[in-house]
Amino acid sequence: MIRHLLVIGAQRCGTTYLHTLLDGHQQVTMARPANPEPKVFISEEATGKGAQWYRETFFAHADAELLLGDKSTSYLEDPKAPARAADMLGDVHVIAILRDPVRRAISNWRFSTDNGLETRSLETALSENLAGPRPWDPSRTSVSPFAYLERGRYLEYLIPWMSAFPATSHVLFLEELLEDPHTLDGLWPALGLSPNLAPPGHDETVNGSPGEPPVLTAELLGTLTAYFEKSNQALSAHLGRDLPW
């Protein structure tokens, strides 16, 4: 029986790193090409083509793997994506990978800047984002390149996925994954996979910009910490565990 896995982690939270680790497991194969991401479930037109089209288009390379995986950061931000995935594939495993939302926001700014989408300084961009979202061009990116802060209110985005797939949703944290290579040991059995067929090494291959990340002023850092306090508390309570930041 073909089973599916969706990595829906937030942008700049290590989804590419997790994709690499999953693809290294002998019983998993991830969608190809990986770049650009498939983004199937943010499109009514794409999902309307059906499961056979999906498998033939993105998993023609699959052999005898037990799990077919697909990664897109866009999935997390589309509240209709869980229903589309359920309609096309039935029950699937869902993995969200998250990160300290302040560090994620800084990384998001660097990514947008490196790709010519952002011209404001870090302090200006994050300060202005506190006042609300900024318009963006959907023809250039599938999600806003300026959602530095709202994108870090993780639970709001997770609820539709965890409601659609309550028994097969998993949440990981980048900080723990990088600190302890055995973090995934408990995930493999939950996915129905053999731990002894996991990749032997865990290289720290996370997309990032070269050089040291910019440092926020103490004032703005305090403001952002307060901004995320309630959402972090809600996420911690929902997951029933402390957050690693």
Side-chain angles (χ1 to χ4, degrees):
M1 178 181 177
I2 297 176
R3 294 186 296 122
H4 289 271
L5 162 71
L6 297 178
V7 175
I8 63 164
Q11 191 178 87
R12 312 309 297 167
C13 283
T15 55
T16 299
Y17 178 46
L18 180 58
H19 177 285
T20 301
L21 297 179
L22 291 168
D23 208 28
H25 194 289
Q26 295 180 39
Q27 294 174 313
V28 180
T29 191
M30 299 298 289
R32 297 178 188 169
N35 188 16
E37 295 173 341
K39 299 181 182 178
V40 171
F41 302 106
I42 65 171
S43 167
E44 291 285 358
E45 179 182 359
T47 51
K49 296 178 181 179
Q52 183 174 347
W53 165 85
Y54 176 64
R55 292 165 186 151
E56 291 176 350
T57 302
F58 298 103
F59 300 98
H61 60 284
D63 187 10
E65 293 88 354
L66 300 180
L67 207 54
L68 306 183
D70 175 0
K71 185 271 288 187
S72 176
T73 56
S74 298
Y75 291 157
L76 185 62
E77 297 185 38
D78 187 339
K80 295 182 179 179
R84 294 186 188 120
D87 288 344
M88 177 189 276
L89 303 176
D91 203 17
V92 301
H93 281 284
V94 175
I95 304 177
I97 182 167
L98 310 175
R99 177 187 191 183
D100 177 342
V102 175
R103 291 181 177 274
R104 195 221 65 80
I106 295 172
S107 181
N108 197 163
W109 173 84
R110 296 184 80 188
F111 180 80
S112 294
T113 300
D114 291 345
N115 285 276
L117 299 167
E118 176 63 90
T119 58
R120 297 170 295 173
S121 70
L122 174 64
E123 290 271 332
T124 298
L126 297 190
S127 296
E128 291 182 352
N129 195 191
L130 285 166
R134 186 185 192 191
W136 54 282
D137 183 359
S139 69
R140 298 189 66 185
T141 60
S142 60
V143 294
S144 171
F146 310 122
Y148 306 119
L149 303 183
E150 50 266 59
R151 188 169 283 136
R153 298 196 297 257
Y154 300 127
L155 187 58
E156 297 175 20
Y157 300 103
L158 285 174
I159 288 295
W161 285 97
M162 300 181 81
S163 297
F165 305 103
T168 53
S169 292
H170 317 273
V171 177
L172 302 176
F173 295 100
L174 179 62
E175 290 86 349
E176 294 176 344
L177 191 57
L178 293 179
E179 181 179 351
D180 183 2
H182 296 291
T183 296
L184 288 180
D185 289 355
L187 179 64
W188 303 125
L191 298 177
L193 305 174
S194 301
N196 62 335
L197 297 179
H202 295 261
D203 295 329
E204 296 185 12
T205 53
V206 182
N207 282 340
S209 302
E212 292 297 318
V215 178
L216 295 174
T217 62
E219 181 180 2
L220 182 55
L221 179 59
T223 299
L224 296 181
T225 300
Y227 173 90
F228 287 117
E229 183 176 6
K230 287 186 178 180
S231 62
N232 283 338
Q233 290 175 347
L235 177 63
S236 176
H238 189 81
L239 298 178
R241 56 153 296 175
D242 293 334
L243 305 181
W245 58 75

